[in-house]
Structures are given as C-alpha cells and as structure tokens.
C-alpha cells in the first residue's frame, strides 16, 4: 500500500550548554497539525521517548547465523587438509611441499585481499546504507503523532510488528504551551534522533515543537519540501487496526510496583532459556500478592507490593516475555505499572504510570505472531447494524469533542450505548478512532489522510467472509438465555458441508463476545488465540440480525 508524505525540511534536534530543542517536521499533505511548548518534566520525557524508540527498533524474529565466511574459509582449507592427510606416506616431502604451498597460498590470499579491498569496502558501505535506509523507513512510518485538547501522543510498531507502543503526554508535562492545533500527522523521524534525545538534561531549557512553519511555507519554495513515498505493508496498517479492538476485550487487570517489574527484567537479563516452555505464568488469587512463575525453571517471583483485587482466581500464561525488557528504562521514573491480560496466549498490555505521562506497551500473543496475524479481535468487538445517519451523528460528535466515553457520547447524541459501541468499532476498523486504555476514552485519530481500503485490510483470513456465507445460507438455529453475572449465552446449531456444528458464545453487557467454544477443527486447534471461528461469528451475526428484525 503506497503512502505519500511531504515534509517541509527535516526533523531537527539541537543542544548546547544551556538549552535543547526538538522540532519535528510534519506531513504537509495532511490537515495542519502543530504544537509548540517547553518541557517541564525533561528526564521522564527523555526516558519515555527512548522507550518508544526501543519499541520501534525491536526485532526478536529468529535470525539464522551467517555462515558464508566460514564456508569460504573451509573451502580454502580443504586442499591443505587433504595434503596433510596424504602426507603420512612421505612425511618429510609432504611437509616441505605443504610449507611451499602455504607460502604460495598466503601470498595469493594477500594479493587477493589487496585487489578486492575496494570492493569489500564498497560492499560494506552499501549494506550499511541499506540498513540505515531501512531503519529510517521504519522511523518515517513511526511514530504517528496526534495532538488533542488535553494531551499529545505518539504511536508506533516494532520492526517485527509484535509490539505496539503509545506515549501519551498531558499538557502538564509542559510548563509553557505556546500554540497548538489538534489533529493527527506523520512526522519525519530519523534514526539519528535517538542519540540526540539522550542529550536532554534537567538543567537545559528544552523546547518541543511539531513545526507549525511547515504549513506556512510559500508554495513557490518547492526546494524546501521533501517528497517521500513509502510502500507500507498491509500488515502494518492492519496491526494498527487490531490493537484498539484487542484493548476493548475483557481482561484481568492488576497493578505492579516498579520493583516487581525490575525483578522480572533482572531475571530475564540473568538467565537465557535453552528450551521451552518460555512463558510467564501469572497466578492471580483475590486478596493475595500477584505471583509470576518463569518457565522452564519454575522460578516464582511473588510481588508482595502488588495485591490482586479481581473477583475470582485466574491463571494466565503469556509468551514472548523478553519484549518486557522494553519497560526497563521506565522503572526509575514510573509510579506503577498496570497490567491487562486478556487470556493465555492472547494479547497483553502494560501501562506505565509516569505521572502526567502514560506509556502503553501492547504485546501480541507471542513474538512470532505479529498483530496482523494475532487474531481478528475486531470480530469480538460489539457488532450491530447501524444506520449511516447514526454513524455520522456519532462521528460528528467525536470530531467536535475529540474524545469521549460511550456513555457520554450516547447522552449527547441520543444514540443508544450499544449503537455507539458498534459505531465506534466500525470507525476503529476504518483507522479513524483509537481506544485509550488508561482512560477508557475513545479518541479521534485518523491513521491516514485518505480512506483506507477496508476490503483489502479487513481480512487477514476469510473467517468473516465464510461466516457471512453461512448466515446467508440460513442453516442456523439458535437459542439465547441470560446467565446472571455472566451475560447472554447463545447456543446454536449450524449445518455446513455435510456436518453439524454446535457453537456457543457469551456476549457481555458491553456487547462484546467475552468467551465461546465450538466443536470445529479451528476452535479445537486454536481455541480463541486467533479469534473466534467462522461458526461463532455466523451464530452471532444471525442473532444480531434476528434481534434487529424483532426491534424493527
């Protein structure tokens, strides 16, 4: 998917003995979005923006060792090894011959190195250039910056697309806010900026700017603009769309003291597992300290300062735990870490409370399973048929207020809460709305200035398409009953491909699919790790259609 950016100049960072400044160059193709202020909490901001950088450069995918040099060396040694072996027939003659050959080979290799030295130097420079260019391409894509009436926030993805980072900074982080205009824009963000961020000091006056001049440059000064065209992977965009949906899933939540996170990171730094299982098993007992068990050593870390206050006992395992080291830099400046676990093998979220800043780290089920493939969590979000006029009313309200909770939006627009939730889910999947985990607000955030091709992005697998086909065939019967303290339980019977399936789903009070099961191969193999199966989806779609017809 091709994205076009147009920057006025380049992002700049300057630093001297008494002051520092950060000026981001925004995308001038988008609606004017700018911000200018002076930092109050400089050290906390430096650590938080550096942790965001750690998300961007994180890539824990398996990388096989490069054995090219070894194979070249082994090929060169083969003739000598053979000569040494054969030399036992006449040791003295063979040794003399080997010595002469070694001298001759040494001179040949030296001459070869001398002749090919410019080539090797040029090759290294070329690959260094490619590496830096690739990294800069990722930085151009990340982060996306949004300016809201109450805060400014960055969003980004890791290179392996398994970790999501979001840094929210309220205006209390700044002691002086000169001017701003709300909106979302892409910013020119290069790899060299990380080193410049490290120069931020408490004694230096630091200015933070999303450059407003980028939108006031005369159109005749075309040399001041820089055009960038990025062929953005569909998975990157689809991953952004999935994160907000995953945030709305029911989760077991608890607070961790910074020292507990330090203990986790310390253990991961000291020990490297050589075999599985490579998981952390959280044991959550109401009224008791959170217990984390690191496998395969079965090392128990009891978080004595962190008491679980949930209603029932839970035991949840997470994988890809080394990604938690991204939080390491935040430990000295964090007041607490709030953990949201959606289930074993499902996404998990870690919100670092930095006072007037919040850093959210979202991790997919495991490292090799990026957000694009982690599961169709949007399919578990509230779903209902909403009229176009209703959708426009909700979206217009959000455009005016920039943020709001579903209940507040419902009160201001007169639209029912279920319809508001369904509408917000639709706009989340359109890349126009984001769910803010630490406040519970839905915020306006347009990922792209142009409408995203939803037909291309919505499906990373054909589950919902198959569910729609099953619903249209009409071979579905169901019954629904309200279960106290659980939600609406819907049991169905679906006949498809000469077999009958028996899906069961539970829809909670917020119209979310909280759990479910089925006797199909997809569910038996993956449970809900990759989202609901097509039969659960077809059952829910049929139930929603029936409910809409009855209301009509």
């Amino acid at each position: 998917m091709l994205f076009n950016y147009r920057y006025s100049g380049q992002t700049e960072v300057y630093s001297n003995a008494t002051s520092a400044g950060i000026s981001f160059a925004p995308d001038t193709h988008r609606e004017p979005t700018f911000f200018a202020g002076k930092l109050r909490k400089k050290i906390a901001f430096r650590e938080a923006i550096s942790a965001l950088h750690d998300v961007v450069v994180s890539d824990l995918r398996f990388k096989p060792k490069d054995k090219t040099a070894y194979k070249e060396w082994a090929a060169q040694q083969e003739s000598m090894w053979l000569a040494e072996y054969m030399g036992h027939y006449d040791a003295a003659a063979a040794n003399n011959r080997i010595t002469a050959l070694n001298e001759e080979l040494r001179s040949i290799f030296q001459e070869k190195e001398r002749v090919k030295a410019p080539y090797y130097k040029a090759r290294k420079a070329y690959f260094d250039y490619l590496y830096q260019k690739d990294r800069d391409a990722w930085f151009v894509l990340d982060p996306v910056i949004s300016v809201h009436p109450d805060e400014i926030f960055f969003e980004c993805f890791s290179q392996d697309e398994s970790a999501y980072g979001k840094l929210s900074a309220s205006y209390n982080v700044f002691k002086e806010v000169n001017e701003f205009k709300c909106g979302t824009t892409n910013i020119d963000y290069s790899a060299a900026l990380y080193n410049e961020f490290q120069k931020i000091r408490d004694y230096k006056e630091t200015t933070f700017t999303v450059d407003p001049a980028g939108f006031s440059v005369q159109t005749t000064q075309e040399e001041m603009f820089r055009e960038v065209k990025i062929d953005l992977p569909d998975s990157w965009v689809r991953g952004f769309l999935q994160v907000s949906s995953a945030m709305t899933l029911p989760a077991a939540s608890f607070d961790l003291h910074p020292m507990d996170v330090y203990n986790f990171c310390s253990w991961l730094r000291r020990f490297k597992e050589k075999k599985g299982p490579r998981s952390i098993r959280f044991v959550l007992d109401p009224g008791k300290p959170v217990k984390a068990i690191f496998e395969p050593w079965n090392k128990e870390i009891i978080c004595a300062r962190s008491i679980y206050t949930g209603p029932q006992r839970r035991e949840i395992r997470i994988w890809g735990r080394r990604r938690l080291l991204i939080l390491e830099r935040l430990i000295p400046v964090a007041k607490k870490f709030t953990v949201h676990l959606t289930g074993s093998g499902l996404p998990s979220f870690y919100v670092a409370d930095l006072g007037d800043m919040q850093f959210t780290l979202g991790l997919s089920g495991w490292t090799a399973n990026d957000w694009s493939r982690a599961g169709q969590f949007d399919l578990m979000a509230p779903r209902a048929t909403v009229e176009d006029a209703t959708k426009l009313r909700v979206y217009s309200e959000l455009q005016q207020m920039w943020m709001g909770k579903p209940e507040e939006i419902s009160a201001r627009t007169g639209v029912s809460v279920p319809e508001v939730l369904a509408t917000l889910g639709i706009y989340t999947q359109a890349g126009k709305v984001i769910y803010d985990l630490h406040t519970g607000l839905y915020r306006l955030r347009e990922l792209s200035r142009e409408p995203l091709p939803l037909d291309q992005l919505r499906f990373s697998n054909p589950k919902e398409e198959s569910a729609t086909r099953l619903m249209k065939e009409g071979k579905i019967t169901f019954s629904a009953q309200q279960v106290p303290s659980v939600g609406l339980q819907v049991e169905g019977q679906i006949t498809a491909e000469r077999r009958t399936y028996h899906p069961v789903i539970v829809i909670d009070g917020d119209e979310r699919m909280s759990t479910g099961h089925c006797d199909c191969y997809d569910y038996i193999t993956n449970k809900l790790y990759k989202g609901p199966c097509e039969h659960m989806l077809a059952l829910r779609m049929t139930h929603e259609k029936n409910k809409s017809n009855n209301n009509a």
Side-chain angles (χ1 to χ4, degrees):
M1 187 182 307
L2 193 62
F3 280 70
N4 296 316
Y5 303 113
R6 186 172 184 258
Y7 299 114
S8 173
Q10 293 184 335
T11 291
E12 296 178 350
V13 176
Y14 70 87
S15 178
N16 55 38
T18 59
S19 64
I22 308 167
S23 179
F24 289 102
D27 179 11
T28 58
H29 275 323
R30 303 189 69 156
E31 288 294 321
T33 299
F34 51 82
F35 179 89
K38 292 183 178 179
L39 281 173
R40 181 198 305 273
K41 301 185 176 180
K42 306 178 186 71
I43 301 302
F45 181 83
R46 182 191 69 196
E47 297 305 300
I49 199 73
S50 298
L52 198 73
H53 168 273
D54 292 341
V55 174
V56 176
V57 301
S58 174
D59 188 354
L60 298 180
R61 291 172 292 191
F62 173 73
K63 303 177 186 66
K65 292 183 178 179
D66 184 3
K67 299 182 179 180
T68 304
Y70 166 75
K71 290 180 179 179
E72 290 179 356
W73 173 84
Q76 295 169 359
Q77 291 288 349
E78 186 175 1
S79 60
M80 290 185 287
W81 291 335
L82 181 59
E84 290 173 359
Y85 176 77
M86 297 298 296
H88 292 293
Y89 291 100
D90 188 347
N95 287 337
N96 292 335
R97 180 61 175 162
I98 289 172
T99 301
L101 289 173
N102 281 337
E103 290 297 329
E104 185 179 352
L105 284 171
R106 189 175 297 111
S107 64
I108 292 173
F109 291 152
Q110 289 175 350
E111 181 65 15
K112 174 188 173 184
E113 291 298 323
R114 186 188 68 79
V115 172
K116 299 189 72 173
Y119 162 74
Y120 290 139
K121 182 178 180 180
R123 185 178 67 176
K124 182 179 184 301
Y126 173 69
F127 283 115
D128 287 346
Y129 166 77
L130 285 184
Y131 175 66
Q132 291 298 330
K133 183 178 180 182
D134 284 344
R135 289 182 65 193
D136 284 347
W138 281 97
F139 279 103
V140 168
L141 300 176
D142 300 317
V144 175
I145 187 170
S146 299
V147 180
H148 272 216
D150 61 331
E151 69 177 28
I152 182 171
F153 60 91
F154 302 83
E155 296 175 85
C156 68
F157 262 126
S158 62
Q159 291 194 25
D160 58 14
E161 299 181 24
S162 71
Y164 163 84
K166 177 174 177 283
L167 171 60
S168 304
S170 76
Y171 290 159
N172 291 331
V173 174
F174 305 90
K175 64 181 180 182
E176 180 181 322
V177 178
N178 296 323
E179 57 181 339
F180 69 90
K181 188 174 190 307
C182 296
T184 298
T185 186
N186 300 89
I187 53 176
D188 176 41
Y189 189 89
S190 63
L193 284 180
Y194 174 75
N195 294 327
E196 299 298 331
F197 286 142
Q198 309 316 303
K199 299 177 183 178
I200 296 176
R201 296 292 185 271
D202 218 13
Y203 58 82
K204 291 184 179 182
E205 190 72 57
T206 303
T207 303
F208 179 90
T209 307
V210 180
D211 191 8
F215 300 97
S216 59
V217 178
Q218 296 295 325
T219 56
T220 57
Q221 297 174 311
E222 291 298 326
E223 67 277 2
M224 300 186 67
F225 292 100
R226 184 165 55 90
E227 299 279 352
V228 179
K229 293 186 178 182
I230 305 270
D231 189 6
L232 189 61
D234 290 352
S235 58
W236 189 88
V237 182
R238 191 185 298 118
F240 255 104
L241 304 184
Q242 289 294 330
V243 167
S244 284
S245 296
M247 285 181 179
T248 63
L249 295 177
S253 301
F254 53 90
D255 292 336
L256 287 179
H257 190 276
M259 279 305 299
D260 298 324
V261 178
Y262 169 80
N263 291 334
F264 292 175
C265 294
S266 176
W267 181 266
L268 293 173
R269 288 288 186 194
R270 290 166 56 202
F271 297 97
K272 176 76 173 179
E273 65 283 347
K274 295 184 178 179
K275 60 180 182 179
R278 298 177 173 87
S279 66
I280 300 178
R281 182 154 47 95
F282 285 97
V283 180
L284 309 175
D285 285 310
K288 295 183 179 180
V290 173
K291 182 193 298 183
I293 302 174
F294 286 72
E295 299 175 324
W297 311 284
N298 290 325
K299 165 66 177 178
E300 290 189 5
I301 296 180
I302 298 177
C303 307
R305 307 172 185 82
S306 308
I307 307 301
Y308 179 61
T309 58
Q312 59 184 5
R313 188 181 190 277
R314 301 284 300 272
E315 191 167 311
I316 299 174
R317 297 173 73 187
I318 65 167
W319 284 264
R321 59 193 179 192
R322 292 204 170 272
R323 295 173 292 175
L324 292 177
L325 293 174
I326 292 171
L327 301 173
E328 203 169 23
R329 257 193 109 141
L330 301 175
I331 294 172
V333 294
K335 296 182 178 180
K336 66 177 181 178
F337 292 84
T338 303
V339 183
H340 303 269
L341 304 178
T342 58
S344 293
L346 294 176
S348 53
F349 296 91
Y350 307 81
V351 182
D353 183 358
L354 311 178
D356 292 317
M357 290 185 290
Q358 306 287 333
F359 184 92
T360 302
L361 176 66
L363 304 179
S364 60
W366 57 96
T367 306
N369 198 23
D370 62 39
W371 276 102
S372 174
R373 295 175 295 172
Q376 296 295 290
F377 299 112
D378 58 306
L379 303 181
M380 301 177 73
R383 305 180 73 78
T385 302
V386 184
E387 295 181 356
D388 291 341
T390 302
K391 288 190 287 188
L392 289 175
R393 196 186 318 162
V394 171
Y395 188 67
S396 297
E397 177 64 26
L398 204 58
Q399 282 182 311
Q400 292 179 7
M401 303 302 296
W402 289 94
M403 73 201 85
K405 293 187 176 182
E407 296 78 11
E408 297 171 349
I409 297 173
S410 174
R412 291 196 295 261
T413 60
V415 179
S416 66
V417 173
E419 284 186 309
V420 169
L421 285 168
T423 300
L424 293 173
I426 292 170
Y427 282 114
T428 296
Q429 283 308 297
K432 294 180 176 295
V433 173
I434 182 177
Y435 180 71
D436 197 341
L437 189 61
H438 72 274
T439 62
L441 296 169
Y442 282 88
R443 293 182 177 273
L444 189 71
R445 189 269 280 133
E446 296 194 357
L447 189 59
S448 170
R449 71 176 186 274
E450 297 172 352
L452 297 174
L454 296 183
D455 292 340
Q456 178 181 347
L457 294 172
R458 174 127 187 159
F459 307 109
S460 62
N461 58 58
K463 284 185 180 180
E464 191 168 18
E465 183 179 358
S466 298
T468 303
R469 176 178 51 81
L470 290 173
M471 184 186 70
K472 289 180 178 178
E473 290 176 356
K475 299 178 181 179
I476 302 175
T477 59
F478 70 92
S479 61
Q481 61 176 350
Q482 195 72 34
V483 179
S485 302
V486 175
L488 181 67
Q489 179 173 297
V490 184
E491 301 181 14
Q493 182 172 302
I494 300 176
T495 302
E497 298 176 353
R498 295 177 295 180
R499 184 183 165 185
T500 301
Y501 300 92
H502 302 85
V504 178
I505 60 173
V506 175
I507 302 173
D508 66 13
D510 292 326
E511 294 294 320
R512 300 172 300 193
M513 187 189 300
S514 59
T515 187
H517 61 83
C518 186
D519 52 3
C520 68
Y521 176 79
D522 185 4
Y523 177 80
I524 293 172
T525 304
N526 301 311
K527 304 303 181 187
L528 289 174
Y529 299 158
K530 294 187 177 181
C533 69
E534 60 190 54
H535 307 104
M536 294 184 200
L537 293 175
L539 177 62
R540 177 167 191 177
M541 292 165 69
T542 303
H543 172 261
E544 294 293 343
K545 182 179 179 181
N546 183 75
K547 185 169 65 173
S548 299
N549 293 337
N550 290 338
N551 291 337

